[in-house]
Amino acid sequence: MGRRTDGLRLWHCPDWRDGLTDALRLSAAMTSKFAVAGLPSGGGKAVVALPEGRELDTDRRRDVLRDVADVIASLSGAYATGPDVGTSPADMAVIGETTPHVFCKPADLGGSGDSSPHTAQGALAALRAVSRRLYGTSSLGGRSFAVIGLGRVGAGLARLLAAEGAILTVTDIDPDKQKISDELGAVWRSPDETLAADVDIVVPAALGSMLTSRTAADLRCRAVVGPANNQLATPDVADLLHQRDIIWVPDYVASAGGVINAISTELHRVSADEARARVRAIEDTVDDLLETAQRCGQTPAQAASELARRRLNGTSGPTGTNHGAVAVPGSVAR
């Protein structure tokens, strides 16, 4: 069985069991992400479930990361982690003091650094494929996008779109992120308004479960394509979008750029140019999925799921029912 690999999420949860649920959902999505991307490194997730209202000072944060490192070390290489929501390459450096099973440490420490620019580039590639499907061209100039979430990936993707000449509406739950909107000349709206904005493509780049049966009915776009994980509140929402003629590219396809770059550079030891080419190839993957879905009368979600299943069944890697998940209750922040 291949090593399971993906990020460490450090986030506030009402109960540690919510963190476990998050870890299990994310690990399932990561299994599909790696399979569709053609990476034999499995899929896993680690979540530190911090109690609501608990803030970590520098020393306490370091203690938490060392506890996570101990858990990872105890798995003897079966799981390796990297950055995710709430963590950074600097945090990976702390974990790397205890265990070598860590990705995306800062470049000066031998890692591939921040994965978010590569995740943003991969999402941009997916958007090019969808634009070609809808408008006959991969050019994004003059097209309108609603970017929901301006974290490291979302802000990076918004800047890439602005550089392409796209028309942007953006939002974030943090009002301080409005300065990014001003920087890009974008329209700033509330999250609910942005999701229902009259645009060509909605780009989820925040936390998951944004697409529900209710919000799907409110959409006024032609496609939903973005790097946020677990965008669907329930799987049937993909069918609802399809019924409305709205293309939804599965999040685990559009968000694969970061893991593709990290695995390519740190495990496969390819050049930076080759790693970038692998990230850009997400455009071809999405092209193929959309073509398959149309030819077979499927949703893109069904086409991607079948591709993942075929690849998982054809390798000695993890199966779709054997995901790797680690949930660390916030009580480790003792």
Side-chain angles (χ1 to χ4, degrees), residues 57 63 109-110 153 168 180-181 185 189-190 229 237 249 266 286 301 330:
D57 59 24
D63 288 343
L109 295 178
V153 176
L168 297 179
I180 299 174
S181 174
R189 291 187 178 177
S190 71
N229 289 316
V237 175
V249 173
E266 297 193 41
V286 175

Side-chain angles (χ1 to χ4, degrees), residues 256-331:
V259 297
I260 289 172
N261 180 76
I263 296 296
S264 296
T265 56
E266 297 193 41
L267 275 187
H268 302 165
R269 298 297 179 183
V270 305
S271 68
D273 285 345
E274 173 61 22
R276 282 191 291 270
R278 292 184 180 189
V279 172
R280 289 195 299 270
I282 290 174
E283 182 174 344
D284 298 327
T285 299
V286 175
D287 269 335
D288 291 344
L289 287 174
L290 295 179
E291 174 61 30
T292 298
Q294 183 179 52
R295 185 177 67 251
C296 298
Q298 300 174 311
T299 67
Q302 290 169 325
S305 180
E306 289 194 8
L307 174 60
R309 188 179 304 111
R310 288 196 304 272
R311 288 184 171 172
L312 290 168
N313 289 338
T315 69
S316 59
T319 68
T321 57
N322 189 9
H323 314 299
V326 179
V328 184
S331 58

Side-chain angles (χ1 to χ4, degrees), residues 178 189 202:
Q178 188 166 350
R189 291 187 178 177
V202 166

